[in-house]
Amino acid sequence: MASVAVKPLPLLGRTLTSTAASKSPPMLANVSSRHFLEISSYNGFLRQIKTPATLSHRRKVSTVVASAGNLTASSWDSWKPDKTAAATALLLSDVIWPAAGAFAAMAILGRMDQMLSPKGISMSVAPLGAVSAILFTTPSAPAARKYNMFLAQIGCAAIGVVAFSVFGPGWLARSVALAASIAFMVIARANHPPAASLPLMFIDGAKFHHLNFWYALFPGAAACVILCLLQSIVCYLKENIKF
């Protein structure tokens, strides 16, 4: 059987030719340029969202959202017992020795009151009860640091004397003294909450007015020396005599 040569169809050839011809060089250039601009703009967008400033902003936004989400949970957790403390085994010695230290502290300071009462000096004041609780129960807390304790006790007591001298007795002196005491502890990095009550005690306690600036040393700072000595004994007993 003889083979017949196949010729290209004229219509198909014209169609292909017309299609190729329809894409003139200017149009092809326009399409290529538009395609290049789209790719460039897309790449530019990717580079923009990956810049350090954009990433930092996204991290800040995510941090704020996460913090807002955790705020409710953390506020509710503060009403529950500490899980770490609850999981720790509690020994009888952990209760006896701090309580014995507090008893010894108030007994010694009370005896000193009897000795110093003719001079108008009282050593067993209410803030020292809070100091005893911090020193004997949480000796590793920031408020139990000697720097924080003595600097805050002396500074806040002196602020109370100044506030009373300037404003006299009354709500204004108490407000200014408390605000200045908190600001002082923050600036000095000496967080010791019991010291904030010393200026209020001086302003409202007429029996301390005659001490003037000696109030910065008596009873707060002087009594803390005794409490620190007792704290060393209590910590030694807790570490070496357990039951």
Side-chain angles (χ1 to χ4, degrees):
M1 184 176 179
S3 60
V4 179
V6 179
K7 296 181 180 180
L9 295 176
L11 181 60
L12 181 59
R14 284 196 301 270
T15 303
L16 293 175
T17 305
S18 61
T19 303
S22 63
K23 292 185 179 180
S24 58
M27 184 178 295
L28 291 174
N30 187 19
V31 172
S32 301
S33 62
R34 185 170 64 252
H35 181 66
F36 176 75
L37 290 175
E38 290 176 355
I39 295 177
S40 300
S41 60
Y42 179 71
N43 292 336
F45 173 73
L46 290 179
R47 286 194 298 268
Q48 181 179 2
I49 64 175
K50 291 182 179 180
T51 56
T54 306
L55 293 177
S56 176
H57 176 70
R58 292 172 64 185
R59 291 194 199 98
K60 290 180 180 178
V61 172
S62 62
T63 302
V64 171
V65 173
S67 300
N70 295 332
L71 180 60
T72 305
S74 61
S75 61
W76 282 110
D77 288 340
S78 64
W79 290 85
K80 301 176 182 178
D82 188 4
K83 296 181 180 179
T84 305
T88 305
L90 184 63
L91 301 176
L92 183 60
S93 57
D94 295 332
V95 180
I96 296 298
W97 295 130
F103 177 84
M106 289 299 106
I108 294 173
L109 294 177
R111 179 57 181 167
M112 293 180 67
D113 276 350
Q114 295 178 351
M115 297 170 59
L116 298 175
S117 58
K119 298 182 179 180
I121 299 177
S122 178
M123 297 295 290
S124 57
V125 292
L128 296 179
V131 177
S132 299
I134 293 174
L135 293 180
F136 300 145
T137 61
T138 57
S140 59
R145 291 176 58 88
K146 306 304 183 292
Y147 169 84
N148 294 4
M149 181 172 57
F150 284 100
L151 187 61
Q153 290 274 344
I154 295 173
C156 293
I159 289 173
V161 177
V162 173
F164 179 79
S165 302
V166 174
F167 301 103
W171 66 268
L172 183 59
R174 290 193 294 269
S175 303
V176 172
L178 181 59
S181 298
I182 293 175
F184 169 76
M185 288 189 287
V186 173
I187 294 173
R189 303 291 195 273
N191 182 28
H192 185 70
S197 61
L198 289 176
L200 305 180
M201 189 175 65
F202 180 84
I203 294 171
D204 295 334
K207 63 179 181 179
F208 299 110
H209 293 169
H210 71 282
L211 293 175
N212 206 357
F213 280 100
W214 284 105
Y215 179 73
L217 299 178
F218 299 98
C224 285
V225 175
I226 301 173
L227 294 181
C228 288
L229 295 175
L230 292 175
Q231 182 202 29
S232 300
I233 299 174
V234 169
C235 291
Y236 176 83
L237 294 175
K238 285 177 64 176
E239 290 293 331
N240 295 276
I241 303 178
K242 297 182 179 181
F243 49 86

